[in-house]
Amino acid sequence: MWRILQQSEPDDYVLATGETHSVREFVEKAFAQIGIRIMWEGQGIDETGIDSASGHVRVKVDPRYFRPTEVDHLVGDPSKARSKLGWRHTVSFEDLVAEMVAADLESVAGERSRVRTTAD
């Protein structure tokens, strides 16, 4: 961000890894952070992610979240940021998922303690 603000002319930059990852891969890595291995069953709208140890369904497809003009392949192109700013990503996909899960777990823990406090 600092490098962007130092430019003499305002411009738009894409800060991205240039990699593409599926929702399925994100789900697998996120659940792995809490020790759950996800197996996939079915396909398309009927696909579910199942906890391999317990057999509980942990992930279901919800058509409400489909984009009206869904594209098959999305990837951010950071080439302009690389060439003009010398910017390169330093956080891997795995590390980003781990950071997101840790933040969610911290948030849930905070919510639970607030609920306990108000219920007492």
Side-chain angles (χ1 to χ4, degrees):
M1 183 64 74
W2 184 84
R3 290 180 192 178
I4 292 171
L5 294 173
Q6 303 313 304
Q7 301 305 300
S8 58
E9 296 288 323
D11 207 346
D12 295 322
Y13 297 93
V14 174
L15 304 180
T17 62
E19 303 168 359
T20 186
H21 298 276
S22 66
V23 172
R24 181 183 290 128
E25 184 181 1
F26 177 83
V27 166
E28 290 168 357
K29 291 192 179 302
F31 274 102
Q33 289 294 311
I34 57 170
I36 295 175
R37 186 173 152 270
I38 295 293
M39 299 182 320
W40 298 97
E41 289 186 2
Q43 45 187 149
I45 198 163
D46 297 319
E47 186 172 29
T48 56
I50 298 171
D51 180 334
S52 65
S54 70
H56 290 108
V57 173
R58 300 292 183 190
V59 181
K60 284 184 173 180
V61 175
D62 188 336
R64 292 178 298 174
Y65 297 106
F66 289 167
R67 294 182 184 122
T69 55
E70 190 66 56
V71 293
D72 291 331
H73 184 77
L74 291 172
V75 62
D77 179 6
S79 59
K80 181 176 168 184
R82 258 191 232 123
S83 66
K84 287 192 167 190
L85 306 173
W87 181 87
R88 295 200 184 281
H89 76 279
T90 57
V91 177
S92 70
F93 176 70
E94 291 79 10
D95 290 343
L96 180 60
V97 173
E99 189 175 321
M100 293 170 75
V101 170
D104 279 352
L105 292 173
E106 187 176 316
S107 176
V108 168
E111 289 172 19
R112 284 185 179 156
S113 68
R114 280 191 297 278
V115 168
R116 279 189 215 114
T117 304
T118 54
D120 292 341

